[in-house]
């Protein structure tokens, strides 16, 4: 066995008379391992500090390349799922359950129609807008204080074409919608003029019940969105139906209601007629 080990150059013979207090000596049954002669094996430090003496020596294998790759894939998966390595953006902080970010023009239209008689506030913002960033915490507080109000957030940078069709050219900008009334008001305010927002919220918040269907966006806004080639939004306006004609039995009644005028010829006309008769 010693000859085989000598040929493979794994071990070299060691002298039994080496001192026990040598720190880096590695003794295994009369043989010692060369430094870095077998990199895939590591001897535990506790076993190296003591003499062999027939005791059990434990070897631990290095992690394989596949294991390292598996760990890297796991970390990437965690980063993609948002478990680690994701920095929360300022417009994502403090969001309440009644706050939602709009993803498309169709999403905006559907959200307004599905709200029913609930008050809906559309918040147009931009990530690079300092006024939007300063106002965001207060909007989140107001959303928390009014859980029955729906807040829709529209990112101007991601939906520039849609905002242009909706005539939104200043930020931060807000629009209030409700039920069959449609748009209630629209204005721009900053952190210094937040009272304008609070006054509009107090005015339009009281519960109302409308018998007509929910209106949502105006007809002009819907047509502008449909005409925008950058948006995948289709809208077909409802045809205008002509007023129905009255029934035959209703015509005499309508004639009675029509005003009657009597024609009386003037004196000059009477003289002319008399002269013509002579």
């Amino acid at each position: 066995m010693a000859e085989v080990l000598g040929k493979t150059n794994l071990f070299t013979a060691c002298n039994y008379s080496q001192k026990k207090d040598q720190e880096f000596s590695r003794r295994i049954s009369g043989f010692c391992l060369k430094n870095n002669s077998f990199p895939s094996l590591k001897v535990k430090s506790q076993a190296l500090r003591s003499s062999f003496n027939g005791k059990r020596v434990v070897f631990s294998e290095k992690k394989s390349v596949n294991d390292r790759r598996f760990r890297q894939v796991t970390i990437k998966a965690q980063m993609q799922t948002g478990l680690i390595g994701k920095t929360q953006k300022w417009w994502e902080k403090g969001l309440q359950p009644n706050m939602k970010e709009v993803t498309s023009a169709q999403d905006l239209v559907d959200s307004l129609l599905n709200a029913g008689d609930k008050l809906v506030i559309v918040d147009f913002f931009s990530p690079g807008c300092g006024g939007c960033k300063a106002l965001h915490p207060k909007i989140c507080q107001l959303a928390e204080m009014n859980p029955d109000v729906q807040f829709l957030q529209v990112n101007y940078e991601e939906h520039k074409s849609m905002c242009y069709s909706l005539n939104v050219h200043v930020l931060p900008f807000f629009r209030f919608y409700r039920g069959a009334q449609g748009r209630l008001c629209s204005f721009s305010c900053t952190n210094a003029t937040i009272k304008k927002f609070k006054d509009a919220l107090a005015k339009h918040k009281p519960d109302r019940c409308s018998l007509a269907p929910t209106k949502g966006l105006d007809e002009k806004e819907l047509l502008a969105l449909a005409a925008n080639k950058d948006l995948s939004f289709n809208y077909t306006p409802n045809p205008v139906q002509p007023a129905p004609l009255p029934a035959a039995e209703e015509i005499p009644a309508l004639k009675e209601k029509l005003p009657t005028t009597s024609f009386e010829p003037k004196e000059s006309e009477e003289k002319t007629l008399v002269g013509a008769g002579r």
Side-chain angles (χ1 to χ4, degrees):
M1 180 176 180
E3 294 178 359
V4 176
L5 294 175
K7 291 180 180 180
T8 56
N9 198 20
L10 295 176
F11 301 89
T12 57
C14 296
N15 189 2
Y16 284 101
S17 62
Q18 291 180 354
K19 295 182 180 181
K20 294 183 180 181
D21 56 348
Q22 291 180 353
E23 296 181 356
F24 298 97
S25 63
R26 299 178 180 178
R27 300 178 182 181
I28 302 177
S29 184
F31 298 93
C32 67
L33 291 172
K34 282 185 177 181
N35 291 333
N36 299 327
S37 61
F38 203 93
S40 64
L41 299 178
K42 288 184 179 180
V43 183
K44 286 191 175 181
S45 59
Q46 293 182 356
L48 293 175
R49 291 175 185 173
S50 61
S51 59
F52 178 65
N53 295 330
K55 296 181 180 180
R56 183 180 179 183
V57 180
V58 181
F59 297 89
S60 61
E61 296 184 0
K62 283 187 176 181
K63 299 292 183 180
S64 62
V65 177
N66 293 332
D67 191 10
R68 290 197 298 269
R69 289 178 180 176
F70 176 76
R71 285 192 174 185
Q72 292 176 0
V73 172
T74 305
I75 294 175
K76 289 180 180 180
Q78 291 179 357
M79 293 179 65
Q80 291 177 358
T81 54
L83 296 178
I84 59 174
K86 182 179 179 182
T87 304
Q88 197 174 26
K89 301 173 183 177
W90 67 260
W91 61 90
E92 298 175 346
K93 297 179 180 179
L95 294 181
Q96 302 301 318
N98 57 336
M99 301 181 72
K100 171 190 173 183
E101 186 172 354
V102 175
T103 58
S104 63
Q106 188 66 52
D107 185 25
L108 175 62
V109 174
D110 294 341
S111 299
L112 291 173
L113 294 178
N114 296 332
D117 292 331
K118 184 184 296 186
L119 179 63
V120 182
I121 301 176
V122 184
D123 176 11
F124 296 88
F125 73 95
S126 175
C129 174
C132 303
K133 183 178 180 180
L135 189 61
H136 178 72
K138 291 188 177 182
I139 298 298
C140 293
Q141 292 178 359
L142 293 172
E144 184 179 7
M145 296 169 58
N146 301 273
D148 54 339
V149 178
Q150 180 67 51
F151 287 78
L152 300 179
Q153 294 181 298
V154 179
N155 191 332
Y156 181 84
E157 296 299 328
E158 295 181 359
H159 307 285
K160 286 184 179 181
S161 185
M162 181 179 68
C163 294
Y164 180 80
S165 298
L166 297 176
N167 294 322
V168 177
H169 305 291
V170 61
L171 298 173
F173 193 75
F174 301 92
R175 280 183 177 170
F176 286 55
Y177 293 86
R178 187 166 203 160
Q181 295 177 282
R183 188 200 302 183
L184 301 174
C185 62
S186 59
F187 56 88
S188 176
C189 74
T190 61
N191 199 13
T193 58
I194 187 64
K195 187 177 182 301
K196 185 188 299 184
F197 185 95
K198 293 180 179 179
D199 293 342
L201 182 61
K203 177 180 179 180
H204 301 292
K205 182 185 175 182
D207 295 335
R208 301 171 189 175
C209 182
S210 57
L211 300 178
T214 306
K215 183 178 180 180
L217 295 180
D218 295 337
E219 186 78 10
K220 294 181 180 179
E221 294 174 334
L222 294 172
L223 293 175
L225 292 176
N228 193 332
K229 296 181 180 179
D230 296 335
L231 305 175
S232 57
F233 177 76
N234 297 322
Y235 173 72
T236 303
N238 297 325
V240 179
Q241 298 180 356
L245 297 175
E249 58 272 9
E250 296 179 357
I251 294 178
L254 292 175
K255 288 182 177 180
E256 294 179 357
K257 294 181 180 180
L258 293 176
T260 58
T261 57
S262 58
F263 178 76
E264 296 180 357
K266 297 181 180 179
E267 294 180 357
S268 59
E269 293 178 354
E270 289 181 355
K271 294 179 179 179
T272 304
L273 291 175
V274 172
R278 292 178 181 177

